[in-house]
Amino acid sequence: MVSLTTRLRRRFRTLTVRKLLLLCGLSVLFVNEFLVYTLQSFRWNAFPKRDTNDDMVILLVSDPQLIGVQDEKGFPIGMVARWDADRYLRKTFSRAYAYAKPDVIVFLGDIMDEGSKATEGEYDSCLSRFHNIFYETSFTKTVVVPGDNDVGGEGGDFRTPFKVLRFEKNFESMTGVVNHGFIDFLKLDIRQHYDTLPEKQQLITDLAPELQAPIRVIVNHETMMAKLKSTIYPILRLSKPNLLLSGHWHISQMFTCDTCLSDNDDLHTWPYVLRQLEMEKGFIDIDLTKTDAINEVMVPTCSYRMGVPYMGYGVAIINKSGHMKYWVIWQPSRYVVLRIYIYAFIIITAILLIDYILTPLKTNKSLFS
């Protein structure tokens, strides 16, 4: 009976350079497209024990910015770019969803990169991609707020009634109250340079009868605490939120202020503390019961196309008592993976070329030996 060692030796004798390179290429493909995501998930915090009656888990998604057509290169580069970015979002979101098992998914704007200027056909195509990527939204409570890329409002990309109506037709109302359990999600559509204070105050007054839950969370695309105090303080004082959630800047930060909602005639001093969260490990505990305090959590982008080194999804566990745990589940860098593909392609091509050149020489040598 032939031993295992002997059989392995025979196999290795028949292993050509091309077979070996094919094996290496398939190994790189497996690692980059499957294993890297699993390995990254091992670095996430162990999910804390949750009370299904008293805890609400919220999965926060910011700035996916599904790639459009107009600003991308033509066929086939644009098509491949959209395909790869969509696959990245699908792989990371499905794993984040399985990890968090959220009660609510909150999208903090900039769903589409070209949602504001897309044609009807482009918009419908991108909307279909959205539902395929974030498939779990079809059976999970979802809250969506628009970003400037969805309805305009930044630079020369002006917001119009048509853009607003199109967003609301395909997603949900841009302003209003979305209730789930003991939390009211308040959508005020606060913007940097376009808001008028009386309009927002009237909106809050109109929405007041719908605000019945003990915990109130303002969800908004643009950061709120970084605005001039004179423009945001009256809004926060009137709406009395326990927490602010935002995106837009593509990075992970938190604004904390223990006295920002207290009675204060000073409309210039805004004594918050800005905390960078990109290097944070473990959970951040936030007390939502302090009536004069305000905390704003800025959620990083989940798209590798935004030009930032860190991408992730925010996870918040809010207890009925008003205590919250927050952390980010970071995702692998796609650009590192793409560079590995380039290096692997160059190395494999070079070895194949060398083998192609040397093979005839080996054959001739064996003929004359």
Side-chain angles (χ1 to χ4, degrees):
M1 186 174 180
V2 181
S3 67
L4 177 61
T5 305
T6 303
R7 281 184 288 179
L8 289 174
R9 286 175 180 172
R10 290 176 180 174
R11 287 287 179 89
F12 278 112
R13 286 196 195 104
T14 60
L15 188 64
T16 64
V17 172
R18 294 182 181 181
K19 289 181 179 179
L20 182 60
L21 291 177
L22 177 61
L23 181 62
C24 291
L26 292 175
S27 299
V28 171
L29 183 68
F30 173 75
V31 170
N32 285 351
E33 298 304 321
F34 301 100
L35 189 58
V36 69
Y37 298 97
T38 301
L39 294 176
Q40 181 69 22
S41 66
F42 290 157
R43 303 176 63 184
W44 299 344
N45 296 323
F47 202 88
K49 185 178 179 181
R50 60 179 290 188
D51 187 325
T52 54
N53 295 319
D54 294 337
D55 289 334
M56 187 179 298
V57 179
I58 306 171
L59 181 59
L60 300 165
V61 184
S62 182
D63 297 83
Q65 296 204 18
L66 304 189
I67 301 173
V69 176
Q70 299 179 27
D71 294 337
E72 287 297 311
K73 295 182 179 180
F75 180 86
I77 296 176
M79 183 185 70
V80 172
R82 285 186 290 275
W83 173 77
D84 190 69
D86 286 2
R87 287 178 67 251
Y88 177 85
L89 289 171
R90 178 62 200 148
K91 288 179 179 180
T92 56
F93 179 77
S94 62
R95 286 168 171 79
Y97 184 91
Y99 164 82
K101 298 179 177 63
D103 301 295
V104 183
I105 304 171
V106 175
F107 287 87
L108 293 166
D110 277 0
I111 309 300
M112 305 177 185
D113 186 47
E114 299 176 7
S116 173
K117 60 183 179 181
T119 65
E120 285 301 299
E122 292 168 354
Y123 196 95
D124 290 342
S125 175
C126 202
L127 184 66
S128 177
R129 289 162 52 202
F130 169 83
H131 290 302
N132 288 331
I133 294 168
F134 303 105
Y135 167 74
E136 291 80 0
T137 58
S138 62
F139 51 81
T140 307
K141 181 72 173 181
T142 303
V143 180
V144 184
V145 296
D148 50 278
N149 286 32
D150 299 312
V151 293
E154 187 173 61
D157 183 16
F158 298 107
R159 180 179 292 190
T160 65
F162 168 77
K163 298 175 183 179
V164 172
L165 288 173
R166 183 162 68 172
F167 177 87
E168 293 186 332
K169 174 185 174 182
N170 292 288
F171 291 99
E172 58 187 66
S173 175
M174 290 177 48
T175 59
V177 178
V178 179
N179 173 264
H180 187 71
F182 54 86
I183 297 180
D184 280 335
F185 295 94
L186 179 58
K187 302 189 295 181
L188 298 178
D189 187 35
I190 299 171
R191 296 186 289 160
Q192 181 72 37
H193 301 294
Y194 300 91
D195 292 326
T196 58
L197 185 57
E199 289 180 1
K200 295 304 176 187
Q201 290 175 319
Q202 184 60 51
L203 175 61
I204 296 169
T205 302
D206 294 340
L207 295 175
E210 302 179 47
L211 296 170
Q212 302 295 330
I215 295 179
R216 189 173 302 170
V217 179
I218 293 182
V219 288
N220 198 67
H221 177 61
E222 293 188 21
T223 178
M224 290 159 275
M225 293 292 287
K227 301 182 187 300
L228 292 174
K229 185 178 181 181
S230 58
T231 63
I232 193 67
Y233 173 77
I235 295 174
L236 299 182
R237 281 285 295 171
L238 186 60
S239 58
K240 294 181 172 59
N242 301 92
L243 176 69
L244 311 178
L245 296 173
S246 63
H248 189 51
W249 285 3
H250 304 161
I251 57 179
S252 183
Q253 295 181 332
M254 185 171 74
F255 296 85
T256 302
C257 183
D258 291 331
T259 60
C260 282
L261 293 185
S262 60
D263 290 322
N264 192 342
D265 294 330
D266 179 7
L267 293 181
H268 302 286
T269 304
W270 202 227
Y272 61 74
V273 175
L274 179 59
R275 181 178 177 182
Q276 303 291 339
L277 302 183
E278 290 176 346
M279 302 305 293
E280 292 280 347
K281 296 181 180 180
F283 308 106
I284 299 170
D285 293 304
I286 302 174
D287 186 357
L288 305 180
T289 63
K290 298 177 180 179
T291 56
D292 290 339
I294 193 66
N295 295 279
E296 179 177 358
V297 172
M298 185 186 295
V299 180
T301 179
C302 57
S303 171
Y304 74 83
R305 285 291 300 264
M306 296 301 102
V308 293
Y310 305 106
M311 295 74 62
Y313 299 90
V315 180
I317 301 180
I318 300 179
N319 187 271
K320 275 184 179 179
S321 64
H323 293 276
M324 168 179 161
K325 285 185 180 296
Y326 173 78
W327 68 103
V328 176
I329 44 177
W330 298 105
Q331 304 302 321
S333 172
R334 184 62 178 170
Y335 283 125
V336 171
V337 167
L338 294 177
R339 283 196 291 269
I340 291 174
Y341 275 132
I342 294 173
Y343 298 149
F345 175 79
I346 293 172
I347 292 171
I348 290 174
T349 302
I351 294 175
L352 283 174
L353 183 61
I354 293 171
D355 182 64
Y356 177 78
I357 295 172
L358 294 180
T359 298
L361 298 177
K362 292 178 181 178
T363 304
N364 292 335
K365 183 178 180 180
S366 62
L367 289 175
F368 289 100
S369 59

